Every structure is written in structure tokens, then in C-alpha cells.
Amino acid sequence: MASSPSTSPGPRRGPNTAFRRLRGPLSPGEFAAAVRRSAREIGEQVACDARYVGRVEAGEIRCPNYAYERVFLHMFPGRTLADLGFAPRESVRGRAARVRGAHGGETTPPSALTRRGDTAGTVVDHDRPAHHSGAEHDAEYAITNENDEESDVLRRAFMTGGPAALVAVSLTGDGRYTGAGGATTTVRRAGETEAAAVEDAVHRIRLLDDRHGADGLYRRAGTALQSAYAYLDAGTTRRAVADRLHSGAGELAISVGWLAHDSGRFADARSHYAEALATARVSGDPALEAHAFCNTAFLARDAGRPREAVRAAQAGHQAAQHLGSSRLLSLLTLREAGGWAGLDDRSACEDALVRAHRLFARGPSDDDPPWMTFFGEAEMEGLESQCWSALGAWGPAVAHARRAVALQEPHFVRNRALFTAELAGDLAAAGRPDEAAAAASHVLELLGPVRSTRIRSMLAVTASRLAPHRREPSVSALLPRLPAPRAEHA
């Protein structure tokens, strides 16, 4: 995410009087609470407290991290970081950034990298001063980041207290993770092999999820994620490898978060998506940021937090604005529509659906992210069906669910089961029990190789809708095969 423009002439050392004026009559604790509320409004998570506010006002924090920057600019529209009393981000990047600039950025030789302690005592984030002592001072050179101010954030967000011993990741055909050759490998520096291993794990997890669902994969996939962040913690002297590791680890966190989401572990999913968002912010990766917000919006909708879904989708749209992918913007707009539907705001939902269709009609492009292979006409129809279902408009919900089932490619087994389960539930709610029973029976057939708590939960809702029609022969034969009926969300 790009930083806001700043016209500050240079480093600041004294108190931040501009920020103190903006706090007004609120106490530091009250202002910190306002910061946390504002963060939730835009889908951010910050742990602001009175101590943090005090450090900002004392001038100890010369430039906030990216998450705080976004929150502050949301709280004070039209202002820049300079207006809030902060120094330009480039002025607090530390000696390493200045050395890299002198050597031409990414071509900087490894010898030009600085240790974490060489930032002249500048405090650049809310955790600790950039100068350290003891074991931390003697750590390996920091990963070559765009902003050295984030090196400590990286350790805090990923591997605080984590071991340096790494297990080389390998995902076998049945979804098991093992070390390379079954052995534990200690990696002093991460390189091309480790970056490729992380990328391969992302690919294999997605492939197995498409075929089999999340329930049997989630716990084992977590092993790969731990290794990916351990690779980040080990560091690398090559910027290209560091970028690949950040991107791969973030995408892997999203994949593991999705497995948690699909298997009903919403709290775990939220944590993994937040981890991916932190990775995106540390590495300045808007594509990863948009992906994390996209999944966060989806999770928020399913977890009964529709307003958060709207805000996260809008934040993702902002991050994706300049990525050149109309399909990504279309998906994010559909996530927003789902949030509006959950809020029972039909007008806003319909408006978002129109925008989503308009963006989708622009067609695919070379800039579409590789993780979006699932997003075609079938997914578009399925997500729209879910919007109408949330609004209680069963006619269009059934129509779009039917189209989703008809359009879904055969190799996306989980999605075929998902959309058919959506159709069954919509038909049951529309008072068409025989058709609903037939669709639900087909879902059970598809669920042979698929293990998805999410789909089974949908079938449980269908069972509750079919229960009043249990005297119908097709329904009475089906109900014992379905999960126990479950009450619907309000």
C-alpha cells in the first residue's frame, strides 16, 4: 500500500504537537479506543492503547506502520501524515535503505545490508526502538525489505520466539506434510529452494481443497505454514527471494485460513487472514493485501458480521484498484454485495451486483491473480444466489443457483457440491420439497470424496427447512441421511 504524500522537510525529534491537538479533550485512553473503533470500521486490527498514544505525542514514533497510517487517515480525512505531525516514511527507513538507494535498490550487494541495530536509535513502529542489545542485536542481517522500519514488525508478526530449525516442506498426494527425505533440515539462509517449496505447498493445498474439501487438510497444512514463516525468519540476502517468500507465505496463510474457514474454525481463519494481511503490509504487496481482504470479507459474512464484510471488501477494492484485474475487482464487489445482503440492504446489494457484473463483463486479463482460477461464470452465479438467499428472495436465489450448478466445471468437486447444496436449501425455502430432496441427494453423492464442514452445515439447514415436509416420500427417505437439522442464522 502506498504511503500518503508528505511534505515534511526531514526527521522530527521533538514532541508531536499536531497529533496532540487532534486528540482534543479526549484522554489518551479514550483516544486509543476511538482509534480501535476506526480500525474496525475499515477492517483493520490495531492494538492501540494509551501508552501508544503517549509515545506518538512524545515524538518517539516518528512514522506509524502501514496499518496505523490507514486508520489515522480514515479518522482524519483529507490530511496527510505530515499534517498529523509524522515524518516522511523515507526519512525513517534507516541506514540500510539509504545504502540500498546509493547502490541502486534491488542490486545492492549483500555486504551493503545493515544489522538491525544500525538505525541510529530511530523508533519507527510501536513495539520497540530500532536499536537493540544482546541476542537481538547479534541476530542475522535483516531480510532486505522495502522499509527497514518493518524488520521488527516482521519478527513480531511472524515468528516471535520461533525456532531457527526448519522442516523442508513437501506435500504428498494424500495431503501429508513431511520433511524432505523425512529429515529435519536447519536452514541458515532461505534461498530459491525454500521459496519454491512454499509456492509448491500453496499450489498443492489449493488443488487438494478443490478436490476434497478442507476438513482433512487443515491441521497438516498448518505445518507448511509454520515452515514458511520460519524461512522468513531465517532471512535471505537476495531481494528477489525475499519477495517470493513474503508472497508465498502470505498466500499460504490465506490458503490455510480458507481451510479453517471451510471447516468451521472461524477464529483460526480470522487469525490466518490477519497474518496474511500483516505480511502484505510488511512487504508492500497490494495484490496479497487485496486477497487477504477478499477472504476476510467472505469470512465476516459467514460469521454473521456483515458490516465488517462490507468494509473489508471495500478495503480490498482500494488495494486492488491499480492491479489491472477487473475480475479481482468484480469478486471484491461481490463480497461487498454479500455484506449488504446480510445487512438486509437490498438497494445497496443490487447496486453492488450491477457493478460486479459490469466489471466481470470486461473479461479476464493477464493481470488476474493465479489464485482466481475458480472465479468464472459459475462462481459469479453462485455468489449472487447467496445474496438473494440472504435477502429471502427465493425465486432469483433458485435461478442463480441452478445456473451455478450447470456452469461449474467438473474438476471443482467441492464447488459443485457447494452450489448444489445452495440450490437444495433455496428450493426447500421456496416450498419445493421434492426438487430440494433431489438436489440434496446429489450433494451426498458428491460428498463422497469431499470433506467440508461448511457444506454439511448447509445441508443441516436444508434438513430443517424440509422437516415440515417429512410426509413427502422423497423427503422422508432423505432426512435420515442428512446432518441433524440446524437453526438458521437470524
Side-chain angles (χ1 to χ4, degrees), residues 214-236:
D215 288 9
L217 295 173
Y218 172 60
R219 294 298 182 191
R220 289 176 290 235
T223 302
L225 183 59
Q226 291 172 2
S227 294
Y229 282 124
Y231 292 147
L232 276 174
D233 195 56
T236 178

Side-chain angles (χ1 to χ4, degrees), residues 36-98:
R36 295 193 299 272
R37 284 195 299 271
S38 295
R40 290 193 293 270
E41 289 175 0
I42 58 173
E44 291 286 3
Q45 292 181 316
V46 296
C48 188
D49 56 14
R51 178 175 172 271
Y52 177 81
V53 173
R55 294 183 66 198
V56 171
E57 293 179 359
E60 294 179 17
I61 297 175
R62 296 174 50 212
C63 186
N65 67 22
Y66 291 108
Y68 274 102
E69 175 184 350
R70 180 171 154 73
V71 174
F72 291 151
L73 298 185
H74 171 68
M75 292 178 70
F76 304 107
R79 288 182 168 89
T80 66
L81 286 183
D83 296 331
L84 303 182
F86 292 110
R89 191 170 297 283
E90 59 271 17
S91 73
V92 294
R93 286 179 176 175
R95 188 168 69 87
R98 293 192 291 275

Side-chain angles (χ1 to χ4, degrees), residues 24 82 129 136 193 206 245 256 278-279 293 392 404 408 411 421 430 436 446 466:
E136 184 67 19
T193 300
R206 288 174 180 165
L245 282 172
V256 176
T279 308
F293 273 128
Q408 185 60 64
H411 65 277
L446 291 170
L466 287 174

Side-chain angles (χ1 to χ4, degrees), residues 55-56 79 179 244 277 279 345 351 363 385 474:
R55 294 183 66 198
V56 171
R79 288 182 168 89
R244 287 178 62 189
L277 184 58
T279 308
D345 190 332
D351 176 70
S385 172
S474 59

Side-chain angles (χ1 to χ4, degrees), residues 114-434:
T114 182
R115 292 180 182 269
R116 284 190 174 96
D118 293 338
T119 50
T122 298
V123 178
V124 292
D125 194 65
H126 67 279
D127 274 325
R128 58 178 70 89
H131 61 282
H132 305 293
S133 59
E136 184 67 19
H137 179 77
D138 294 330
E140 292 289 340
Y141 294 136
I143 293 175
T144 309
N145 294 313
E146 181 66 25
N147 293 320
D148 286 297
E149 62 184 328
E150 303 293 354
S151 62
D152 292 313
V153 183
L154 195 154
R155 294 185 68 83
R156 172 179 59 82
F158 303 154
M159 293 297 296
T160 301
L166 312 174
V167 178
V169 180
S170 174
L171 179 60
T172 62
D174 61 358
R176 289 178 292 116
Y177 287 91
T178 61
T184 298
T185 304
T186 299
V187 181
R188 298 295 182 188
R189 288 284 189 184
E192 295 280 353
T193 300
E194 289 72 33
V198 174
E199 292 162 351
D200 185 61
V202 173
H203 171 74
R204 290 176 181 271
I205 287 172
R206 288 174 180 165
L207 180 64
L208 290 172
D209 176 48
D210 288 335
R211 293 176 178 173
H212 304 295
D215 288 9
L217 295 173
Y218 172 60
R219 294 298 182 191
R220 289 176 290 235
T223 302
L225 183 59
Q226 291 172 2
S227 294
Y229 282 124
Y231 292 147
L232 276 174
D233 195 56
T236 178
T237 59
R238 295 179 57 193
R239 175 59 186 272
V241 174
D243 288 345
R244 287 178 62 189
L245 282 172
H246 276 96
S247 177
E251 290 294 343
L252 188 55
I254 291 173
S255 291
V256 176
W258 164 248
L259 296 179
H261 180 175
D262 195 44
S263 56
R265 301 173 173 93
F266 288 176
D268 287 358
R270 187 181 179 91
S271 175
H272 288 306
Y273 292 157
E275 193 168 36
L277 184 58
T279 308
R281 292 291 173 76
V282 165
S283 57
D285 187 340
L288 179 59
E289 182 178 349
H291 192 184
F293 273 128
C294 185
N295 278 44
T296 297
F298 192 13
L299 173 66
R301 188 207 68 173
D302 283 359
R305 299 190 299 271
R307 195 170 300 280
E308 179 184 328
V310 170
R311 289 167 177 159
Q314 291 172 341
H317 198 284
Q318 180 178 341
Q321 196 64 50
H322 302 294
L323 296 178
S325 173
S326 295
R327 288 290 169 90
L328 175 55
L329 294 174
S330 176
L331 178 58
L332 286 160
T333 308
L334 283 168
R335 298 291 190 227
E336 180 186 342
W340 290 124
L343 290 168
D344 202 28
D345 190 332
R346 181 165 181 155
S347 176
C349 178
E350 289 180 339
D351 176 70
L353 288 173
V354 169
R355 286 186 281 119
H357 278 284
R358 188 181 301 126
L359 288 162
F360 188 88
R362 295 179 184 176
S365 77
D366 292 339
D367 293 318
D368 293 338
W371 58 267
M372 288 191 66
T373 54
F374 71 93
F375 186 61
E377 290 184 74
E379 185 76 12
M380 184 87 178
E381 294 289 344
L383 292 176
E384 182 164 357
S385 172
Q386 292 169 8
C387 289
W388 292 115
S389 178
L391 290 167
W394 305 116
V398 167
H400 286 284
R402 280 197 191 281
R403 283 199 285 271
V405 172
L407 291 167
Q408 185 60 64
E409 297 179 30
H411 65 277
F412 286 115
V413 182
R414 195 228 24 252
N415 279 8
R416 287 172 59 205
L418 175 70
F419 295 143
T420 307
E422 179 71 32
L423 175 60
D426 293 341
L427 287 166
R432 298 155 69 175
D434 288 337

